[in-house]
Amino acid sequence: MIKSREVLVYGDPRLKQRAEEVEDPSSCADLAERMHALMEEYNGAGLAAVQIGDFRRVLVWKVGEEQGTLVNPRLELEGETEIGIEGCLSVPGMAGDVRRALRLRATGFDANGKEVDLEAEGLLARILQHEVDHLDGVLFVERAELGSLRPAPMTAVTGI
Ligand code: NI
């Protein structure tokens, strides 16, 4: 399948740039819509605006039938952690093991400017931590357990 190639890949200096707080979250509706469409196109489970070269603090996620948008996300991590496999749409063909908080509370706004307050655990908690890292210019390869980075076909690991 031919992809639209809109997602920046590892080595692009824009992926290291820190995204900026959004003054009016309701101004992000078009961006969020485009990000959801791209996430679907790439069969991903998460995407940060930085990954398409937009430096607003916006992320989208999809787990099963549930999906959401977070503008200006803030995460409160709980203490317990677990190591799990991660892949990234911006680091195609690679996987690694990353330690993340198992549970967290996420607050922010949706793309209509409505406040969001959600409790997440497991995969969703992992996705949100991975995407907020993107907004801070951090890639999962920098957090991966020593020696855990390995080649992985895109079909074997969900990109986030
Ligand atoms: Ni990623």
Side-chain angles (χ1 to χ4, degrees):
M1 189 169 78
I2 296 166
K3 303 281 170 98
S4 52
R5 298 258 170 227
E6 286 183 80
V7 175
L8 306 182
V9 295
Y10 188 72
D12 190 309
R14 288 174 289 178
L15 288 170
K16 301 303 301 163
Q17 194 168 320
R18 192 175 188 282
E20 309 263 344
E21 293 274 323
V22 176
E23 242 172 71
D24 175 10
S26 69
S27 67
C28 299
D30 288 352
L31 172 63
E33 195 178 324
R34 182 163 157 244
M35 287 169 66
H36 275 283
L38 266 177
M39 181 170 63
E40 292 282 341
E41 185 187 340
Y42 280 75
N43 290 318
L47 189 68
V50 165
Q51 290 178 275
I52 57 170
D54 187 304
F55 300 100
R56 287 177 272 179
R57 295 186 79 80
V58 179
L59 66 82
V60 298
W61 58 269
K62 182 168 195 248
V63 176
E65 295 302 304
E66 292 202 59
Q67 54 183 315
T69 300
L70 265 174
V71 180
N72 296 343
R74 287 189 201 285
L75 306 183
E76 288 170 47
L77 308 183
E78 288 192 17
E80 199 182 341
T81 62
E82 69 173 1
I83 290 176
I85 186 172
E86 286 185 27
C88 178
L89 296 175
S90 294
V91 192
M94 294 291 286
D97 299 322
V98 184
R99 180 177 292 282
R100 301 282 191 188
L102 187 57
R103 274 180 286 274
L104 56 79
R105 178 178 176 203
T107 54
F109 300 87
D110 68 15
N112 298 313
K114 192 165 160 255
E115 280 188 48
V116 175
D117 187 339
L118 70 94
E119 310 263 331
E121 67 174 271
L123 179 59
L124 178 55
R126 178 170 296 279
I127 292 168
L128 294 174
Q129 289 168 85
H130 178 117
E131 303 313 334
V132 169
D133 270 354
H134 274 301
L135 299 179
D136 291 332
V138 175
L139 295 168
F140 86 97
V141 295
E142 298 163 57
R143 290 206 190 271
E145 296 290 305
L146 199 62
S148 75
L149 285 176
R150 56 213 185 256
M154 283 304 273
T155 47
V157 56
T158 303
I160 58 179

